[in-house]
Amino acid sequence: MQNKTLLVLAAGMGSRYGGLKQIDKLGPSGETIIDYSIYDALSAGFNKVVFVIRKSIEQDFNEVILSKYKDKTDVDYVLQEIENVPNHITYSTERKKPWGTGHAILMAKDKIKNFFAVINGDDLYGRNAFVTLGQYLDTLSLEKDKYTYSMVAYPLKNTLSENGIVSRGLCQTDENHCLKSVKELTKLQAIGGKIINTSEDGSVVCMPEDAVVSMNIWGFHPSIFQFLEEKFEFFLKFNADNPKSEFYIPMVVDELIQGKQAEVKVLTTDAQWYGVTYQEDRQGVVSHLQAQTNKGIYPSPLWK
């Protein structure tokens, strides 16, 4: 077993949810979703945690989140802000939030020197996802597998919200279970027993329940940071003036695959994803965590 870091993306503003999802107390003893993700990751052999947060929530994050982990694992954090761009780049003054998940990961480049997993701070992935990814990363070599990346994929039916539209990365794989492409679907919804996606032109496509999708749980070698630096600067040349443009990690991964610069192994899980995309999702997560606790899967309180 080798050293592995968990990178938690927790800088999102929670605009659709209506609050700071990262510090919402959802567990039976006031635990957050991040608490459960870290508990599962540490159980799966990860031994360092780095958070990506924003300056505006730094004090709350230190008080509610970081303080509880300092005696349990190596823990650190970095800040993701709009102004974190190359010095010669100017951007729209109308921009209100940072540049997306690819930008968030890039912020951690000075903190991570080994294989690492990336997760969203407001997604509950299930323990099996961390075990699957951790075991795979342990088979790799920092020297020999510099451009071997990985992701944990879910069946689409296990990733939807009952309360509105979600975005998912639709994955295509080859016969060796390596990723061929990721296509971002931004308007997925379960309606009348079917899963539909509405394209930008208004056309509607019915999606298969077992379609393989990315939930932004990735495994990376530190070599990804050099790619992110190069591609973020290129992205800004064409998008700096667009206040809503985002530098998504699936977009970067797809470019690397198409350019044959990296290989991405797709690891599958049958775990049920839970999240709080909308305020109405909250009770479902609370009920699920209570049920898991009642079954003895998690202790309560989680951290003793």
Side-chain angles (χ1 to χ4, degrees), residues 89 175 231 237 280 291-292 294:
I89 300 291
E175 64 277 7
K231 293 185 179 297
K237 289 181 180 179
E280 293 82 0
Q292 295 286 94
N294 292 344

PDB file of all heavy atoms in Angstrom, residues 89 175 231 237 280 291-292 294:
ATOM      1  N   ILE A  89      -2.949  37.298 -17.929  1.00  0.00           N
ATOM      2  CA  ILE A  89      -4.308  37.079 -18.409  1.00  0.00           C
ATOM      3  C   ILE A  89      -5.271  38.060 -17.741  1.00  0.00           C
ATOM      4  O   ILE A  89      -5.278  38.213 -16.523  1.00  0.00           O
ATOM      5  CB  ILE A  89      -4.772  35.637 -18.116  1.00  0.00           C
ATOM      6  CG1 ILE A  89      -3.861  34.619 -18.809  1.00  0.00           C
ATOM      7  CG2 ILE A  89      -6.227  35.447 -18.545  1.00  0.00           C
ATOM      8  CD1 ILE A  89      -3.973  34.588 -20.306  1.00  0.00           C
ATOM      9  N   GLU A 175     -12.577  -2.066 -25.224  1.00  0.00           N
ATOM     10  CA  GLU A 175     -12.641  -3.453 -24.750  1.00  0.00           C
ATOM     11  C   GLU A 175     -11.741  -3.704 -23.548  1.00  0.00           C
ATOM     12  O   GLU A 175     -11.901  -4.705 -22.841  1.00  0.00           O
ATOM     13  CB  GLU A 175     -12.271  -4.418 -25.886  1.00  0.00           C
ATOM     14  CG  GLU A 175     -10.842  -4.307 -26.408  1.00  0.00           C
ATOM     15  CD  GLU A 175     -10.675  -3.197 -27.437  1.00  0.00           C
ATOM     16  OE1 GLU A 175     -11.636  -2.432 -27.655  1.00  0.00           O
ATOM     17  OE2 GLU A 175      -9.571  -3.093 -28.019  1.00  0.00           O
ATOM     18  N   LYS A 231      -3.322  23.588 -20.353  1.00  0.00           N
ATOM     19  CA  LYS A 231      -4.645  23.659 -20.958  1.00  0.00           C
ATOM     20  C   LYS A 231      -5.489  24.777 -20.361  1.00  0.00           C
ATOM     21  O   LYS A 231      -6.357  25.338 -21.049  1.00  0.00           O
ATOM     22  CB  LYS A 231      -5.343  22.304 -20.856  1.00  0.00           C
ATOM     23  CG  LYS A 231      -4.659  21.241 -21.714  1.00  0.00           C
ATOM     24  CD  LYS A 231      -5.386  19.928 -21.721  1.00  0.00           C
ATOM     25  CE  LYS A 231      -4.670  18.929 -22.614  1.00  0.00           C
ATOM     26  NZ  LYS A 231      -4.634  19.353 -24.036  1.00  0.00           N
ATOM     27  N   LYS A 237      -7.389  31.905 -23.162  1.00  0.00           N
ATOM     28  CA  LYS A 237      -7.205  32.712 -24.373  1.00  0.00           C
ATOM     29  C   LYS A 237      -8.522  32.906 -25.116  1.00  0.00           C
ATOM     30  O   LYS A 237      -8.739  33.930 -25.770  1.00  0.00           O
ATOM     31  CB  LYS A 237      -6.179  32.051 -25.297  1.00  0.00           C
ATOM     32  CG  LYS A 237      -4.745  32.123 -24.785  1.00  0.00           C
ATOM     33  CD  LYS A 237      -3.800  31.460 -25.773  1.00  0.00           C
ATOM     34  CE  LYS A 237      -2.361  31.523 -25.274  1.00  0.00           C
ATOM     35  NZ  LYS A 237      -1.411  30.866 -26.212  1.00  0.00           N
ATOM     36  N   GLU A 280     -34.354  20.231  -1.810  1.00  0.00           N
ATOM     37  CA  GLU A 280     -35.309  19.129  -1.614  1.00  0.00           C
ATOM     38  C   GLU A 280     -34.621  17.772  -1.528  1.00  0.00           C
ATOM     39  O   GLU A 280     -35.233  16.785  -1.083  1.00  0.00           O
ATOM     40  CB  GLU A 280     -36.330  19.119  -2.753  1.00  0.00           C
ATOM     41  CG  GLU A 280     -37.261  20.318  -2.786  1.00  0.00           C
ATOM     42  CD  GLU A 280     -36.649  21.552  -3.441  1.00  0.00           C
ATOM     43  OE1 GLU A 280     -35.470  21.485  -3.886  1.00  0.00           O
ATOM     44  OE2 GLU A 280     -37.338  22.586  -3.505  1.00  0.00           O
ATOM     45  N   ALA A 291     -30.244   5.311   7.931  1.00  0.00           N
ATOM     46  CA  ALA A 291     -30.404   3.887   7.660  1.00  0.00           C
ATOM     47  C   ALA A 291     -29.061   3.159   7.690  1.00  0.00           C
ATOM     48  O   ALA A 291     -28.954   2.054   8.238  1.00  0.00           O
ATOM     49  CB  ALA A 291     -31.086   3.694   6.308  1.00  0.00           C
ATOM     50  N   GLN A 292     -28.022   3.770   7.115  1.00  0.00           N
ATOM     51  CA  GLN A 292     -26.687   3.170   7.124  1.00  0.00           C
ATOM     52  C   GLN A 292     -26.159   3.038   8.542  1.00  0.00           C
ATOM     53  O   GLN A 292     -25.504   2.042   8.894  1.00  0.00           O
ATOM     54  CB  GLN A 292     -25.725   4.026   6.284  1.00  0.00           C
ATOM     55  CG  GLN A 292     -26.048   4.096   4.810  1.00  0.00           C
ATOM     56  CD  GLN A 292     -25.708   2.816   4.079  1.00  0.00           C
ATOM     57  OE1 GLN A 292     -26.582   1.956   3.908  1.00  0.00           O
ATOM     58  NE2 GLN A 292     -24.490   2.672   3.627  1.00  0.00           N
ATOM     59  N   ASN A 294     -28.079   2.774  11.251  1.00  0.00           N
ATOM     60  CA  ASN A 294     -28.887   1.745  11.913  1.00  0.00           C
ATOM     61  C   ASN A 294     -28.403   0.342  11.568  1.00  0.00           C
ATOM     62  O   ASN A 294     -28.503  -0.582  12.391  1.00  0.00           O
ATOM     63  CB  ASN A 294     -30.357   1.891  11.513  1.00  0.00           C
ATOM     64  CG  ASN A 294     -30.995   3.162  12.051  1.00  0.00           C
ATOM     65  OD1 ASN A 294     -30.461   3.795  12.961  1.00  0.00           O
ATOM     66  ND2 ASN A 294     -32.139   3.536  11.492  1.00  0.00           N
TER      67      ASN A 294
END
